[in-house]
């Protein structure tokens, strides 16, 4: 195999990594949830909710997990037929059930914004289902893939609210099979004989065949035939020739670099926040209940959508469309220096961010984007945080530091930071138009003069 041909395969493998990363990462997390659970969520089989018994904490090893809502997550296997979903009446309180297919596309929403807060039933149907829905359901949610994830979030004001109100709502959130049928017990297994350095591509090969994307995406993925990704039956990677192994491993590294670089773009080091209400607009084909099917919520260039989708999975897997919630991140202070626990910072909101639900700032480490362990057990601060102190003019200053501030008012508004570099995320739930059209400007994080640790 010539060097030129190998280089072409490396580039093709990098494209395949970017294209397939969301599928592999999504289903790897599904597998983890089915067998191990994570953080506040216990393991649960297909078609059964796992309910968090507390807000997410530092032991919740999930990328950019929020600390504002209590999670209820279910992974549906629809290979045996539709599943009926029942939602309780939340009496006006914020909640959302987000439906995510195997490729990480958000294809439906049920909840406060989308369908209201009253009780009701929904039918989640597999691809190609042509049956008749029961009369007592509000509608049918057509799934693009046979395995989908429901990510449920109930707003929660703390442990007391969880025990007093949220737990009862969790118990009323149920899934039942519409009719008896054969449902798988696990995901299709990649060939165990594939070497570790090629496991990503083997997972992509197997899962891509079992959970095909839209017709337009299938046409795009035909380009990956030379990599063996479209081979059926025994894995082409057991064994693989040295030239193909080299191309796949180098291409994987190159693809990772592209996703990481794109994930940090938009924060040019000047201290501004990267806020992209359209981060999750890569779904171009599936628009069910609660989604907005309009050009402003779709990435115009399909090939560009693949990198956007990979970045969204990398920095915020299972995040919502911007019209449900917007996420902003920053890595630098106002002077352009990386944010670090070696210093103290202030984030001053002259007025509350424009939202119809609520907002918060959450602390994450880098490069994992996990919540940060701290003695106070506080991972986020926002308009619902008990005891926050506003100035006489109504402004709110968040104090960010490794150690608790000595001043009582500053301590009330303290967001603990880790030892090393960090990345805060501002979440705006049900953002108002000023957020979505770019008129709202988030204040920069300013380093306190002489504000070293201590």
């Amino acid at each position: 195999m010539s060097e030129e041909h190998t280089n072409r395969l490396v580039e093709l493998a990098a494209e395949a990594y970017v294209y397939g990363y969301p599928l592999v990462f999504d289903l790897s997390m599904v597998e983890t949830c089915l067998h191990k659970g994570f953080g506040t969520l216990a393991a649960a089989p297909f078609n059964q909710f796992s309910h968090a018994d507390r807000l997410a904490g530092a032991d919740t090893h999930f990328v950019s997990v929020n600390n504002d809502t209590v999670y209820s997550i279910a992974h549906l296997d629809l290979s045996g037929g539709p599943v009926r979903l029942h939602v309780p009446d939340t009496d006006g309180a914020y909640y959302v059930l987000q439906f995510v297919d195997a490729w990480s596309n958000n294809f439906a929403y049920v909840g406060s914004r989308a369908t209201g807060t009253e009780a009701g039933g929904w039918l989640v149907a597999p691809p190609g289902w042509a049956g008749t829905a029961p009369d007592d359901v509000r509608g049918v949610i057509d799934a693009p893939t046979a395995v989908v994830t429901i990510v449920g979030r109930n707003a929660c004001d703390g442990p007391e609210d969880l025990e007093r109100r949220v737990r009862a709502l969790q118990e009323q959130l149920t899934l039942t099979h519409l009719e008896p049928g054969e449902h798988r017990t696990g995901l299709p297994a990649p060939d165990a004989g594939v070497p570790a350095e090629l496991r990503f591509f083997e997972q992509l090969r197997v899962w891509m065949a079992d959970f095909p994307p839209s017709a337009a995406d299938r046409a795009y993925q035909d380009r990956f035939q030379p990599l063996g990704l479209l081979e059926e039956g025994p894995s082409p990677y057991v064994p693989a020739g040295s030239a193909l192994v080299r191309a796949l491993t180098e291409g994987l590294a190159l693809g990772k670099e592209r996703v990481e670089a794109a994930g940090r773009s938009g924060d040019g080091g000047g201290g501004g926040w990267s806020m992209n209400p359209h981060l999750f607009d890569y779904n171009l084909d599936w628009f069910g209940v609660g989604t907005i099917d309009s050009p402003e919520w779709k990435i115009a260039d399909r090939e560009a959508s693949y990198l956007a989708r990979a970045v969204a999975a990398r920095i915020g897997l299972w995040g919502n469309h911007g019209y449900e919630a917007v996420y902003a991140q920053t890595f630098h202070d106002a002077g352009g220096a990386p944010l670090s626990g070696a210093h103290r910072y202030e984030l001053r909101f002259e007025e509350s961010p424009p939202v119809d639900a609520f907002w918060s700032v959450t602390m994450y480490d880098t490069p994992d984007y996990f919540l940060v362990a701290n003695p106070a057990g506080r991972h986020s601060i926002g308009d619902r945080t008990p005891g926050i102190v506003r100035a006489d003019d109504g402004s709110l200053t968040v104090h960010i530091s490794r150690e608790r501030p000595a001043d009582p008012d500053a301590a009330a508004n303290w967001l603990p930071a880790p030892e090393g570099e960090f990345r805060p995320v501002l979440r705006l739930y049900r953002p108002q138009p000023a957020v979505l059209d770019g008129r709202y400007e988030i204040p920069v994080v300013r380093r306190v003069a002489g504000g070293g640790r201590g």
Side-chain angles (χ1 to χ4, degrees):
M1 186 180 293
S2 69
E3 188 70 14
E4 181 181 357
H5 183 62
T6 299
N7 290 338
R8 285 201 300 269
L9 288 183
V10 169
E11 175 60 29
L12 196 61
E15 293 176 5
Y17 178 86
V18 171
Y19 172 78
Y21 175 80
L23 175 70
V24 173
F25 190 30
D26 180 282
L27 292 181
S28 295
M29 282 305 307
V30 169
E31 206 161 44
T32 296
C33 293
L34 292 174
H35 301 296
K36 298 178 181 178
F38 69 93
T40 58
L41 290 156
F46 277 124
N47 301 337
Q48 179 177 311
F49 273 103
S50 177
H51 300 295
D53 58 3
R54 64 189 187 282
L55 289 166
D59 62 343
T60 310
H61 289 171
F62 188 89
V63 59
S64 301
V65 67
N66 86 56
N67 185 243
D68 303 308
T69 65
V70 176
Y71 282 91
S72 293
I73 293 182
H75 306 286
L76 307 189
D77 169 40
L78 306 172
S79 61
V83 171
R84 183 197 296 260
L85 165 70
H86 174 77
V87 298
D89 187 344
T90 67
D91 195 26
Y94 178 85
Y95 88 100
V96 61
L97 297 179
Q98 168 195 355
F99 294 75
V100 189
D101 74 5
W103 289 86
S104 79
N105 294 304
N106 298 327
F107 66 91
Y109 293 91
V110 169
S112 310
R113 176 198 60 84
T115 58
T117 61
E118 66 272 16
W122 299 88
L123 193 70
V124 189
W129 185 72
T132 302
D135 293 336
D136 60 347
V137 299
R138 291 180 60 182
V140 176
I141 297 171
D142 293 309
T145 53
V147 166
V148 300
T149 296
I150 302 177
V151 185
R153 302 172 177 90
N154 274 293
C156 181
D157 293 338
E160 292 184 3
D161 188 36
L162 174 59
E163 294 299 326
R164 174 179 53 83
R165 182 184 64 85
V166 177
R167 198 169 309 285
L169 296 175
Q170 291 177 328
E171 292 172 355
Q172 298 173 65
L173 187 62
T174 60
L175 294 162
T176 54
H177 295 143
L178 180 63
E179 54 193 29
E182 291 288 332
H183 295 264
R184 77 186 90 200
T185 57
L187 294 173
D191 192 317
V194 172
E197 64 267 27
L198 301 184
R199 180 170 172 78
F200 172 88
F201 291 103
E202 173 65 1
Q203 289 173 310
L204 179 56
R205 182 186 75 89
V206 172
W207 290 341
M208 198 163 64
D210 214 62
F211 306 105
S214 67
D217 283 0
R218 287 199 297 273
Y220 175 84
Q221 70 187 28
D222 285 346
R223 67 203 292 127
F224 304 132
Q225 177 69 55
L227 301 175
L229 286 172
L230 303 184
E231 295 292 328
E232 298 180 0
S235 175
Y237 310 127
V238 185
S242 59
L244 180 58
V245 170
R246 175 192 162 190
L248 291 174
T249 52
E250 291 184 8
L252 184 144
L254 181 59
K256 279 186 176 180
E257 289 176 7
R258 290 176 180 174
V259 174
E260 292 296 326
R264 283 180 172 264
S265 67
D267 180 61
W273 293 73
S274 172
M275 180 173 64
N276 182 4
H278 300 285
L279 178 62
F280 295 91
D281 289 3
Y282 49 79
N283 173 20
L284 306 179
D285 303 296
W286 316 107
F287 296 91
V289 173
T291 60
I292 298 178
D293 182 3
S294 67
E296 65 181 302
W297 295 105
K298 299 177 186 177
I299 295 174
D301 184 334
R302 182 173 289 271
E303 290 196 23
S305 76
Y306 301 139
L307 179 58
R309 183 175 64 181
V311 169
R314 172 66 184 93
I315 69 175
L317 182 67
W318 301 343
N320 296 285
H321 274 98
Y323 46 77
E324 185 69 41
V326 167
Y327 316 94
Q329 64 176 0
T330 187
F331 295 89
H332 298 87
D333 65 21
L339 296 171
S340 168
H343 308 292
R344 293 179 179 271
Y345 305 90
E346 291 182 352
L347 173 60
R348 179 182 173 85
F349 293 94
E350 297 294 340
E351 55 187 28
S352 290
V355 294
D356 288 331
F358 56 94
W359 65 269
S360 71
V361 181
T362 307
M363 175 63 66
Y364 298 97
D365 65 11
T366 63
D368 295 320
Y369 305 147
F370 292 162
L371 295 175
V372 174
N374 62 86
R378 174 180 281 183
H379 305 288
S380 63
I381 190 168
D383 56 358
R384 301 175 305 135
T385 302
I388 56 172
V389 177
R390 296 182 182 272
D392 292 341
D393 61 2
S395 65
L396 173 66
T397 300
V398 176
H399 297 268
I400 304 173
S401 61
R402 177 72 181 92
E403 297 180 3
R404 182 190 299 270
D407 177 75
D409 287 353
N413 295 357
W414 177 42
L415 182 60
E419 289 277 355
E421 294 186 5
F422 60 85
R423 161 203 177 237
V425 169
L426 174 67
R427 282 184 171 82
L428 307 172
Y429 291 86
R430 297 188 65 183
Q432 293 178 2
V435 174
L436 301 179
D437 63 21
R439 283 176 291 145
Y440 175 66
E441 185 174 344
I442 307 171
V444 295
V445 178
R446 299 189 180 279
R447 181 176 165 181
V448 177
R453 195 178 300 163

